[in-house]
Every structure is written in structure tokens, then in C-alpha cells.
Amino acid sequence: MQITKLEQMFDVLKTRPKKRLVAAWAIDAHTIIAVSQAVNMGIIDAILVGDEAVIKSVCVEHGINPSIFRIVSAASDVEGATKAVELINAGEGDFLMKGLISTDRYMKAILNKERGLMENGAVLAHVTVAEPMGYHKLLIFGDVAIIPEPDLNQKIAICNYLIKTARLLGVETPKLGILSASEQTLPKIRSSYEAALISKMAERGQIKGAIVDGPLGFDLIVDKESAQIKGVKSEVCGDADCILFPNIEAGNTFYKTITCLMGSELCAIVMGAKVPAVLTSRGDSERSKLFSIALAATLA
Amino acid sequence: MNPITKLSELAEHVRSRGSMTRVAVAAADDSHTITAIARAVREGWAHAILHGHKARIEQVCQSESIDPALFEIIDHADDVTATKAATLQVKSGAADVLMKGLVRTDVFLKAVLDKQQGLLPPGAVMSYTCALEIPRYNKLMFISDTAVLPHPDLNQKAAMIDYSVKMARRLGIQTPKVALISATEKVSPSMPSTLDYAQLCSMNKRGQIKNCLIDGPLDVFLACDPEAGEIKGVNTPIKGEADVLIFPDLESANSFYKGLMLFAGAELAGLIQGTVKPVVVMSRSESAASKYYCLALACLMAEEI
């Protein structure tokens, strides 16, 4: 079944065996509340790694029964992240979530060469799934948070993550638009010519499982009429499931436009490690955190 | 018009036009050049203006039993002035085709490329296209660049496509299939030409390059053998029926056509394009038939439509 609304993820997860979340240094109310909601909905099981006394007192304060979690003690944020990653490597958890630890310390634990979660040469990237108002389905895009200026290989990796995400959300053959300022192939604009390369690679089966087209302007990617007016014939135009952004500024601005100006819901995860990792920020709504947990569970 | 599939048909087409093309020959002092042009003049489709050492030209005519009265002969003291004069004649519109005779290639090209008095418009790309007749291929194959551009960049590749497509269309192929040749069909940063190819395909898809159907990278099998696509599982609109083959560099293009001539009995006609009018540069090693076809092709391409 193709998921076209974020909350449909919950229904799908309820029909599957529960995945196990491991939250790194989960000692704050934001994290604990979001995880408890997911556990109470019956879509995941959870291990909270952190100071047990603090976790329990936050639970009491917010009327949460701490026995719904497994709690693993850690004395500091760094130890919490290290232990969380160890639990994943030991097969005791299926995906990771960041608690009250800085993003760089959290990432460091994931990226640790000996004891982290990266396979050789893997690219870590951020994938967002949004439910933009006025669009007829979910939109999956990246990278808006981790890789500032992806090179060709990183772009290909991001494309593969977008495609994988779309497929796991039930889109059989996702349509992926590669963003540039225009649909013309302009050799002097990197986003434009790399889009042409990636499209050709997809045509040759070097990127599988999706219909890929680019360069395309944003209007052409999401609006069929614009494509008709400009005379661009492409299956992707007006019906894209995925968008590859050329850089973090473009992607991040789109992400924030969706949340700040459109008030639409979205969620996000980090892909490229052995397991999906949730990386919510405190600015995210409770609902968005819950969706991010559900997304990671869907992909785990 | 029906597509021309053989070089003999090309010559027949040129003969039957009933029009005369004016050919200026630079340093026409050798028997190869004079023999080739004499045939065209006798058949009535070329008017030849021979620039060179008049006495030597007449001597050559005599030894080849050719009547010098077939030609307009203009006397020059040396190769350089003869070449400059022939080039200028084409530039001024007094001749339609420039042909190289017994003058060193570098001297000849220097005159063609001269900024003030040469034939190349500012910013234009000069390139060499051949029409190949291969006994085991059922139509003519246009290939580029076999002689001028050693390592064409993206812009030069686009010009090579443009010239080859123009030539193919002039020979009656409405929408030529252009294969961009590499060793594999995969796009790979380790093979820079494949990156250019992907962009050229994209430009074609977006209508930035018109009048043809482009695909690449493709290897020669995928480009020219209809069964290869199926065997390799590559879905290409070229379908093994390429009209135009664009090569990544001069070495590969040059080896391709020389191999075909040597081992497969191929025959060719070729010329320089990008100049205001076609330029014929024949090597002495080419057969008499090839030289005749080169001239016919140049005369056809010189026509204004």
C-alpha cells in the first residue's frame, strides 16, 4: 500500500512486528514524551540510554509509566551515545534516536571507525518526508541538514536513500526530480550538468528502482501545468515522489518553508549508517518527532 | 528525398543537380589533385580555379593527358601566396569550396584559420566529418572527428554533432540517430567523455540540440548492431542503427575508420566543417575514388539551401 499521509505510517507499523528504538542520552522531556507516545501507540519498543534517576523523575513529572521502556544506565552524554551504538551493534536495537546530546557528539558515536555504525565508504545523509499542503502525495527530499555541497557520488547516495525511502513507504516506482534552476542543461552550472549525469546513470540502470529526471526547475517537478507550458515531456513532472536538492541552502530553505509558511507536517531521519537514525531538533513539533520515529521504524 | 546509402549514389546525386560548384584549389601542382578535380570538371559539376605554379600545373596536365583548358589557372610564385589567394577567393564568395593541393597541411590550415583573411568565423569550431561506406553496414555512417580535434571538449563535441547531423540530413536522413561512442554504456567519472555524453543526451532531450536523436555512452556494438541492445539489456533509442558516430578523441575515430578501410573494404568521403564553406583536405594515401567522393560531398555541402 502506498502511504500518502504521514499518519498512515502508524497503521502500517501496527500490522508489523515492532522495531526496537534505542534513544541516546534520553534524559529530557522532549525525547521521553515522543518515545512514550510511540510506545503507547504500540508501534515500537524502546530502550532509553541515560541517567536512570533523571529518566524516572521526568517520567513521573509527565505522568509516564517508566516501565514501558527498558532503561540502560549511562553516566554522561558521550557514554550514553556510545552505549546506544553498542546496543545497536549487539543486535539489541533496530534504530537510533538522539536525546539531549549535541548533534556532533551523537554523530561522532555513529561515525566512530571501530565501534560506530558506518560501513566503509558509506555516505551519511539526511532524508525528509513531508506532507506539503496542496500536493497530492508525500514528498521525499534531501539533503537539508548534513552534506552542505554534495559531490556527484554523494548525490548518487542521496538519490538512492530517497528512492529506498519512497519504496519502503509503498511507492513501487518512485519518480525522482533533480532540482536545478531550469530544465535546460547548462554545462556551467554544476547542479544542472550533474543532474544530467545522474539522469543518464538512472537510464542505464546505474541507479535502480526509480524514474529519474533532471535538471528540472522546482515548478516543473511539482506542477504538471508548468511542464506543459514549457514543453517539457517527462514522467516526473508534476508527479514527483522525490526531489534531490543541489545543496543544503536550497534544501533547508524548502524544508523551513514547508514548516514555517505552509504549516505542513514533515519528519526526517539520517540514512547511510547500518540503521536509520532519528535526529529531531527541539524546534520540531511533538507530532513531527512522532512521525520521525515512525519513519525510522518503517525503514529499520 | 530518399536517404543516400552509398557514396556512388552521393556522386550521382551531385552530378544530377545540374549546378556547378566553384572549387578553388590551393597549390594545385600535383597529379593527385589535378586528376581528382579534372574528373569533376569533365562531368560538369565543378568549375576549378587552380592556384599555383602555372608552368608546373601545365606540366602535370601534360603528363596525365589532361587538357589544362579545363581549368582556370592562376599563377603564383610560391605555395603560401597560392594558398592565401585561394582562401581569399572562397572568403569573398568568388568560390564555393576550398581544396588543398600540394602544400604542407600546417601552411594550409594557417591560411584557413587566419583571423582576418581565413574562413573560420569567430568562436566557431572547426572539425572533420567523414561519410563512410562499409560493405557490411546497410547505410552510410557519419563519423567525427577523424582528423582535426584531438581531445574535443563538450562544446566541440556539440559542434561535431551539429556538423555530422547537417551532413546526414543533407544526404536525406531526416532525423539522424547519433551514437556517442565509448568503451561502455555506463556513465563514469573515470571516463570523462561519458560525462560530456550524458549532458549532450540531456540537451537533446530538452530540445537544446535539435534535428537528431542522441544516445550515449554506447559502445560500437550497441550503436551499430541491432542485436546487441537485447543481449546487453540496454534500452537505447539508437537500436543498433546509428547514422552518426561521435568518438571521444581523434585516436579512436582515426583508428576506427582506418581499420574499416584496411580490413573491411570501407570507402570514405570527408571534409572540414565549421568554416564558412567546406574545405577539402585529402591525404595522398587516399584512393582516387575517395578523392572524387570528397569533392562531391564538399560540393553538395557548399550548396546554400
Side-chain angles (χ1 to χ4, degrees):
Chain A
M1 156 191 163
Q2 183 172 342
I3 293 172
T4 55
K5 298 270 175 210
L6 291 172
E7 55 184 30
Q8 291 166 358
M9 287 191 294
F10 301 147
D11 303 331
V12 172
L13 285 171
K14 281 174 194 165
T15 67
R16 294 181 186 169
K18 280 184 218 172
K19 298 287 178 183
R20 299 156 302 169
L21 172 153
V22 180
W25 200 239
I27 60 161
D28 62 314
H30 288 273
T31 309
I32 294 172
I33 291 169
V35 176
S36 74
Q37 285 176 340
V39 172
N40 287 332
M41 285 175 80
I43 58 172
I44 58 159
D45 288 326
I47 302 171
L48 305 185
V49 183
D51 184 310
E52 193 166 350
V54 176
I55 292 172
K56 282 186 170 158
S57 81
V58 172
C59 285
V60 170
E61 203 179 315
H62 291 89
I64 295 163
N65 174 9
S67 67
I68 62 170
F69 310 116
R70 175 181 157 200
I71 298 172
V72 173
S73 278
S76 70
D77 55 353
V78 173
E79 194 194 322
T82 310
K83 276 198 171 168
V85 167
E86 270 170 19
L87 285 165
I88 298 282
N89 275 327
E92 291 183 47
D94 303 304
F95 65 105
L96 204 61
M97 178 172 176
K98 179 175 101 71
L100 191 67
I101 176 175
S102 69
T103 302
D104 58 327
R105 284 182 179 175
Y106 176 66
M107 292 298 218
K108 221 171 169 177
I110 294 174
L111 292 167
N112 185 291
K113 281 215 173 104
E114 284 82 38
R115 295 153 62 196
L117 295 175
M118 300 303 291
E119 261 141 34
N120 243 350
V123 174
L124 208 61
H126 189 269
V127 171
T128 303
V129 180
E131 192 183 305
M133 207 185 290
Y135 198 60
H136 57 287
K137 52 181 164 178
L138 295 177
L139 209 45
I140 300 149
F141 55 92
D143 179 329
V144 309
I146 293 181
I147 307 174
E149 296 278 346
D151 63 22
L152 183 63
N153 279 331
Q154 289 169 323
K155 282 181 180 176
I156 293 166
I158 298 167
C159 282
N160 283 321
Y161 298 152
L162 298 176
I163 293 165
K164 184 179 174 188
T165 304
R167 289 170 65 96
L168 287 169
L169 289 169
V171 186
E172 205 170 315
T173 308
K175 296 171 183 172
L176 192 164
I178 305 173
L179 186 84
S180 187
S182 122
E183 78 284 3
Q184 301 270 301
T185 302
L186 306 169
K188 284 184 181 152
I189 299 179
R190 210 186 114 207
S191 65
S192 178
Y193 75 73
E194 288 190 347
L197 303 188
I198 297 169
S199 303
K200 194 76 207 181
M201 287 176 166
E203 214 179 293
R204 291 285 190 258
Q206 296 168 264
I207 296 169
K208 291 186 171 60
I211 300 165
V212 180
D213 196 13
L216 289 169
F218 191 82
D219 51 345
L220 302 187
I221 292 179
V222 296
D223 181 27
K224 205 158 261 172
E225 209 182 317
S226 300
Q228 275 159 3
I229 292 167
K230 295 194 177 172
V232 176
K233 279 182 204 140
S234 163
E235 276 187 77
V236 173
C237 288
D239 196 35
D241 300 285
C242 310
I243 303 178
L244 175 73
F245 281 91
N247 57 42
I248 204 167
E249 292 92 335
N252 198 273
T253 305
F254 179 60
Y255 178 98
K256 286 173 180 162
T257 307
I258 286 187
T259 48
C260 300
L261 292 180
M262 296 166 74
S264 299
E265 290 291 354
L266 51 70
C267 58
I269 53 161
V270 175
M271 294 179 77
K274 282 181 209 160
V275 296
V278 179
L279 182 75
T280 55
S281 91
R282 293 211 209 175
D284 293 339
S285 69
E286 266 182 26
R287 193 121 178 100
S288 153
K289 282 177 192 161
L290 189 56
F291 284 141
S292 293
I293 292 170
L295 177 62
T298 306
L299 295 183
Chain B
M1 90 190 240
N2 286 331
I4 289 170
T5 60
K6 294 197 180 312
L7 292 173
S8 57
E9 287 170 27
L10 162 71
E12 173 55 35
H13 176 68
V14 171
R15 280 197 298 269
S16 66
R17 293 175 310 162
S19 60
M20 183 94 87
T21 308
R22 299 161 301 171
V23 181
V25 185
D29 312 9
D30 79 321
S31 61
H32 291 268
T33 310
I34 290 174
T35 316
I37 190 84
R39 182 172 168 197
V41 172
R42 278 200 214 97
E43 288 180 1
W45 48 272
H47 170 77
I49 307 136
L50 308 187
H51 292 264
H53 197 281
K54 193 172 180 183
R56 270 209 302 270
I57 291 173
E58 285 169 347
Q59 208 175 358
V60 171
C61 286
Q62 203 178 9
S63 64
E64 297 288 337
S65 314
I66 291 166
D67 179 5
L70 285 173
F71 314 116
E72 185 182 336
I73 301 171
I74 298 172
D75 191 29
H76 294 278
D78 58 68
D79 294 350
V80 177
T81 51
T83 304
K84 278 186 181 167
T87 306
L88 209 55
Q89 205 171 26
V90 174
K91 188 180 176 66
S92 68
D96 311 302
V97 169
L98 179 66
M99 181 175 171
K100 174 183 164 304
L102 190 64
V103 51
R104 280 192 357 235
T105 304
D106 57 331
V107 172
F108 179 75
L109 288 181
K110 200 175 164 202
V112 172
L113 294 171
D114 186 275
K115 282 215 171 90
Q116 269 79 45
Q117 297 184 310
L119 299 179
L120 197 68
V125 174
M126 189 169 89
S127 172
Y128 199 89
T129 310
C130 283
L132 265 182
E133 182 183 324
I134 307 158
R136 286 184 56 187
Y137 204 55
N138 62 359
K139 52 184 175 179
L140 289 178
M141 179 189 287
F142 301 87
I143 65 169
S144 181
D145 180 316
T146 55
V148 174
L149 299 168
H151 293 286
D153 62 19
L154 178 67
N155 185 36
Q156 290 167 328
K157 288 190 184 93
M160 285 154 58
I161 292 172
D162 180 41
Y163 302 150
S164 306
V165 165
K166 268 191 192 134
M167 190 183 280
R169 283 169 61 83
R170 192 61 72 90
L171 270 66
I173 300 147
Q174 210 56 42
T175 308
K177 291 180 177 169
V178 181
L180 310 174
I181 299 299
S182 181
T184 152
E185 74 283 3
K186 299 275 196 283
V187 178
S188 163
S190 64
M191 283 201 264
S193 66
T194 68
L195 305 184
D196 285 351
Y197 290 170
Q199 292 179 70
L200 291 162
C201 291
S202 180
M203 289 173 172
N204 181 234
K205 207 156 108 186
R206 296 285 192 253
Q208 294 163 262
I209 301 174
K210 292 185 186 15
N211 294 329
C212 59
L213 187 63
I214 302 178
D215 195 23
L218 291 171
D219 71 359
V220 172
F221 281 177
L222 287 166
C224 305
D225 178 5
E227 282 170 24
E230 227 168 282
I231 293 167
K232 292 196 173 186
V234 178
N235 184 18
T236 164
I238 303 297
K239 296 184 195 306
E241 297 171 342
D243 297 294
V244 175
L245 267 59
I246 298 296
F247 284 87
D249 53 30
L250 195 147
E251 291 96 324
S252 55
N254 195 278
S255 307
F256 178 76
Y257 93 84
K258 284 182 178 163
L260 286 174
M261 294 188 77
L262 195 56
F263 300 119
E267 196 70 81
L268 72 77
L271 52 89
I272 287 178
Q273 293 183 96
T275 43
V276 291
K277 288 287 179 186
V279 174
V280 181
V281 182
M282 298 187 291
S283 106
R284 292 209 201 180
S285 59
E286 278 170 41
S287 70
S290 246
K291 283 175 183 152
Y292 172 71
Y293 293 140
C294 281
L295 204 51
L297 183 62
C299 289
L300 183 65
M301 293 306 293
E303 264 182 38
E304 313 270 352
I305 354 179

